[in-house]
Amino acid sequence: MQKNLTLIFFLALFSCIAFFPIAWMFGGSLYEGGSISFVYYHDIFLTKKYADIISRSLILASVAAIFAVLMGVPAGFFLAKTNFFLKNFYKLCFFIPLIIPPYTIGIAWTNILGKAGFLNQFLSHYLFLPPQSVSAFIYSIYGASFILSMNLFPLIMIMTEYALKNVPSSLEESGLISGSFFQVMKGITLPLISPVIFSGMMIAFVFSLSEFGVPSLLQLNVLTTQIFTQFSAFYNEKAATALAFPLIMITIIIFASEQCKMRGKSFEILGKSGSQAFMEYHFTWLRVSGLVFCTVLFLIVIILPFCSLLISIDTFKVYRDAFALAKNGIVNSVVFGGIGASILTVVGFFLGYATEKTRWRLKEGISTFVWIFFAVPATVAGIGLIKLWNRPHGAFQFIYGTFGIILIGYIIRFVPLSSRIMANFFRQIPQSMEEAGAVTGASWFRITGNILAPLQKNGIIATWIISFIFCIGELGTTLLVYPPGHETLPIALFTVMANSPENIVSALTLLLIGMTLLPVGIFFLISKYAFAKKITP
Amino acid sequence: NEVVVYSSEDKIFSEPVLKAFEKKTGIAVRAIYDTEEAKSTGLLHRLLAERENPQADVFWCGDPVRPALLETKGVTTSYYSPIAKEIPENYKDEGGHWTGFSARARVILYNTDLVSMDEKPLSIFDLVKPEWRNQVAIANPLFGTTALHMAALFIVSGDEEAKKFLNDLKRNGIKIVSSNGEVKRLVSRGEVKAGITDTDDANVAILDNYPVKIVFPDKDGIGTLIMPNTVCLIKNGPNQENGKKLIDYLLSREVEKKLAWDMCAQMPLRYDVETPAHVFSINAITGMNVDYHNVAKKMEEINGFLKQWAGF
Amino acid sequence: MKSLQVKQLVKTFDKKEIVKGISFEIEKGQLLTLLGPSGCGKTTTLRMIAGIEIPDRGEILIDEKLASSDKKIYISQKERHIGMVFQDLALWPHMTVYENIEFGLKSNGIRRDERRKKIEEVLQCINMQKYARAYPQTLSGGQKQLVAIARSIVTRPRLLLMDEPLSNIDVKLRQDIRQEIKRIQQETNITTLYVTHDQEDAFFLSNRIAVINEGKIEQIGSPEEIYFSPESLFVAQFVGESNCIDVKITGKDRLLTPWGGYVHPTNKLTTGTAKIFFRPHQVKIDPDGRCEGKIVKRDFMGEWFRYHVSSSGVEIVLYDENNYDVGKYVKFSINKMVTI
Amino acid sequence: MKSLQVKQLVKTFDKKEIVKGISFEIEKGQLLTLLGPSGCGKTTTLRMIAGIEIPDRGEILIDEKLASSDKKIYISQKERHIGMVFQDLALWPHMTVYENIEFGLKSNGIRRDERRKKIEEVLQCINMQKYARAYPQTLSGGQKQLVAIARSIVTRPRLLLMDEPLSNIDVKLRQDIRQEIKRIQQETNITTLYVTHDQEDAFFLSNRIAVINEGKIEQIGSPEEIYFSPESLFVAQFVGESNCIDVKITGKDRLLTPWGGYVHPTNKLTTGTAKIFFRPHQVKIDPDGRCEGKIVKRDFMGEWFRYHVSSSGVEIVLYDENNYDVGKYVKFSINKMVTI
Ligand SMILES: Nc1ncnc2c1ncn2[C@@H]1O[C@H](COP(=O)(O)OP(=O)(O)OP(=O)(O)O)[C@@H](O)[C@H]1O
Ligand SMILES: Nc1ncnc2c1ncn2[C@@H]1O[C@H](COP(=O)(O)OP(=O)(O)OP(=O)(O)O)[C@@H](O)[C@H]1O
Ligand SMILES: [Mg+2]
Ligand SMILES: [Mg+2]
């Protein structure tokens, strides 16, 4: 009872916060000239033009997701499974691309791969690639995918890492008896964490699908840019909303496919015994390849794009100016991000539980319902929020006039994300752990506090970090709803980006990185000790 | 005792001005700025969405056309600032819904490493010539000042002319990029030889001492588009009175001068505000002779065409 | 008073009926053992009684109060005051042995010092005091089971469900623990439902034994009943070793066995065939036995030898302490037999 | 040829020495059983032989090739061609029974149809064909164990390590599986190292038994040796039930027991004290036995009754098929005894 009430409470909470503004928007888009009409949907589905656009979006997203997996899974694997020089340094650095707005990464890459870019010249000089084709690449769908995948791989990396840390050694030991290292990884370890990888991939996919900055920078004709055009050239928010519909459809399809793929299988692996918590391998060749891989990755995703940032900063004064511009934003970012991430983690925890561990008949429905909000474009969410919350009445004004509205924005945008991650980590907790608690007559809260939460430790860490980074990076919705004086760092960055000296922009970007990495780093330390009881699955 | 202003003028230019106002009057200014990424339309959406229960008092807009849009949607209200008398008539809405002040203009920015003084284009119509093939950038004409520019162009040189011109540009492999900032970036990095952008962007490039120079196109032809900043008072804003005070301040000579001397190098609409050497005053350049209300209307008409022209 | 009544319990897993209408009752303070082949539904039954699985049909009454009827639950898990040893232990990996045991006490709101006392007590009686601070996965299989047992009894539950609690524990220790369980169970008279494969355990601990086969109860009764007068062939063969031989009924109380005629109650039958059934140790090798046979197989079983003797066309099993060689001809006599 | 040699194996867990210099050898095709109390280090030893744990000291030779010496590994886990049944099974939850068994074959690069054949075969012999497509967590405890066994033998390993493979399987099935294991093990003569608590299993399967106590081997020998001539008190008491009684040596081959003098080899000693030791079934209740005692306890053990008889100040345990009441005085005689 306690259990169901709690879960239903969080479910209701999320529905109220997220459902109404979005429903409002879509309702509006169905309502034209005083009556129900499908004008805005009609040609989305019936014209060739949109077929092309949608397929282009799909290509963009899939390629990005695949690239992200190709980078993220090995990275996470090496971080979790072996130990090498600078491991933790790399681990922290690899968050940078996730922190920096894709738009900025895009600019960095167009800079270095553009005709005049040094990398382009390098390539054309040594690899005899015609400069045209290189810059053509970066301005193409695939260029965009490339940029986005670099932005998103840390997400998959961290999920992979923590999922791997949940795989108890005994399962690998029993494999190593008869199989080689590779066979075990291929046949046992990776399949065991496949749900996590898979959902990471899904998140990357949907994110690239609904990302706007990069496609617009590269002037790609995809759904998001179409939506934007409708919004900002034609001021036709209904049409724009209608265009978001295919996004949601695709998301649902992807999600359903995942649910099917995982049905029947079990990934309950925690609590099995073994010689140690989880296997770390110390083959020299493995360490070396780990080091090599991470170094190369580091060069590609960090050094190449961002060295330009560094060199463009000449004086220290620049930092002072940048700081002056951003100090308000810094505080806000960290505070809002921290609170937001924590809320997301809590809500995600319970929703994830509800959709993964209950016997509810509707739970698949619920998880789908929660998930679709991830596809709602930021602008739609923002405008929906304004229309819903911007009312003269006290309570509304109170929320709308304070950073409450920003938090609500975070919840709409990212609870689908956090609850998905949680759900997939919950998959790894055996039912029996909870049952054993229940028969002792423990209240569900006690079980949650003393059994589920500690066992979910890795999931919680991963979720918090990811949520935190995403919250800090949120722009589309926050921009529309933030009350004066509540701007966050990215907003500070983007509002001065246009027409301010490049070195200021660079300095701001670095500030943004620092301000995000610092808490994350601290959080790593805390999480090491906070869950003092070492859980050794 | 505060005033809420939404500013779609770039933050680094507008913030100092507002701060100055704060110091001068002691009225706290709570400002929200717009971002380049959203083509400075985020605030517009916000204003429209907040129509039922406005949060802002003043909207400081980078161009004279969006206020026209707001006017039609009934977001703004009319206010004739006493000080506005000094502003030339054609930079003001006779309905009083918006008033213009220091202006930007559309210019051709070219890279002096790639283009010598005597090859430099003097007219935008030069850009269809073969020597500029694949060497010109322009921002997406559906958005921002470029959209205005196109609309104005359609008015002054007739739809047929304009359409033909644009198609020629297209055929000449013009690069359509996301924003004027991008145009600036590409030109100054030498990705392209020249591009059509705004004075403020251009000027920043120069101050970042990239090898670039400005041309005010069609001096002795149709002239180029001049786009004053505008300011308008929001209907039922929370602090109407302070709003008016702020408007009066923004329209003052002092501000025009400040903006002229700032990096954005905005051109004062008053003839007698002294400016740094590199900043022309309005009368020094030939502006297109258009009425901004018509421009606004024209945009509505042509953006269908522009959409498919830009390939969206 | 009955602490547990189970009526026509049915459970279906993906369309396969696993538990097919099991009914039994346990008096307060009694211990009932479920015996049965692997996969016959013992664990499932236990889990339903604990409220972990929801029965498809049937009623469960605890202390004569309805706990669940068909799919409806009336008494929630936590109100059932159950202690359970899970077959796969389900110890909490993130808690030390101490904390694992403590959890149940905590959630019943017992004070800290109180808790410490109880826990030390119980650790004592499984003598694992020195492992109190160890984490489960650093324990040996047997030690884990001990912890699981401790965890289940420390709360002195109303009803104790034990699913093969001793399977990984060595004979000696097992005997002690058995004693312990019996002691505790009788002192605090906890009603207990016990699942085991070890017939010694079963016979030693049980007041009554229920033999289950494929989700149905074949027979419930005292150990002696089950052992000496099985009601079905299955029970006869499942519990202990046995010889079953087809015989002819030649008349009232007259049987024709491979070894000639016997006089034996044939409960009213005067003709037809029947089975006689006798235990290996109810056969004795003695020089003047009336049956003879050849030893075809000998296994050393510790306490005695097990001989397979083929005699007049049937093969019977018998135990004897003395060592005879394979191939030797021996005389033997059947001291007791039962007809089924 | 020796398939497995273990020399002075030592393993320490967080400063506690768990395995304290164990040494033994197994001839090709033989089966050695490790018997010992919970926590004595059996599993640890197996894990070291499998190469999962790295020994702190000592050598392991497989087929007379050095597999590991002290902390250095010379033969990797896979090359050891070991099949292992883990005490906690460690089945892979995301694979069906079929896939679980298949993994080993796959990684030994055996062709698909080949694989199918082998797997069906092995499923046959644990008769779980109809569970091939089931996932482990839907299996009963015993069924899981069967799968674990199948997984370990399907690859026909060179060396088979089984850690309590039958603990959760019912007596009947266990006997069959035991037969199976013995058959396979002998046919394909796989060398096997076997851990169990069930002495029947041990006696039935083993060529030799090693009794381990606290990480040291107490005695290695054939089942009979272990059972009838234990070399230490521990072995005597750990294996089977036994009576140990202090006696005086009154002269060459003369003992003074509570029941008077006995003539019995005292290996050279002519004075001092000793212990005599005999099995419960080596005592018989017979009217003309020379000892008498009072029955203080009776347990029904299935095959027989266990009686605790207190007699001349000592309490002895004896088995008898006949049912005597507690409190009754009985005469008995001790047929065999050993001095330690
Ligand atoms: N969750 C489940 N889904 C499907 N089938 C199940 C599930 N749980 C158990 N079964 C099936 O129910 C049958 C009985 O399982 P159960 O665990 O009750 O057997 P058991 O009597 O405990 O056997 P054992 O003595 O080996 O533990 C088994 O055949 C098993 O395959
Ligand atoms: N990873 C570990 N860390 C610390 N101690 C351990 C670890 N593994 C085993 N031990 C200790 O080593 C001892 C022997 O363990 P082992 O599993 O070998 O016993 P065992 O002989 O298999 O007992 P059982 O018959 O109960 O399985 C136990 O006391 C256990 O606490
Ligand atoms: Mg079971
Ligand atoms: Mg063990």
Side-chain angles (χ1 to χ4, degrees), chain C residues 193-222:
Chain C
L193 186 56
Y194 193 94
V195 172
T196 182
H197 288 312
D198 184 306
Q199 304 196 351
E200 271 196 34
D201 290 353
F203 289 129
F204 177 83
L205 287 168
S206 321
N207 304 92
R208 281 155 71 249
I209 294 179
V211 180
I212 304 184
N213 185 25
E214 298 189 335
K216 278 202 229 52
I217 291 189
E218 292 266 338
Q219 183 174 358
I220 299 191
S222 72

Side-chain angles (χ1 to χ4, degrees), chain A residues 325 475 479 482 487-500 508, chain B residues 7-15 32-37 43:
Chain A
L325 278 169
L475 189 63
L479 183 66
Y482 78 95
E487 77 269 26
T488 58
L489 204 41
I491 291 183
L493 174 60
F494 273 112
T495 45
V496 303
M497 195 132 139
N499 289 347
S500 54
L508 274 173
Chain B
S7 159
S8 74
E9 175 55 272
D10 296 321
K11 182 178 181 182
I12 44 163
F13 306 147
S14 47
E15 194 169 37
I32 286 183
Y33 304 95
D34 212 331
T35 69
E36 180 75 13
E37 189 200 19
L43 287 177

Side-chain angles (χ1 to χ4, degrees), chain C residues 37-44 46 87-88 163-164 195 197, chain D residues 139-142 168:
Chain C
S38 281
C40 69
K42 304 183 290 298
T43 300
T44 311
L46 254 55
Q87 191 167 15
D88 55 359
D163 199 345
E164 318 233 355
V195 172
H197 288 312
Chain D
L139 295 180
S140 80
N168 279 354

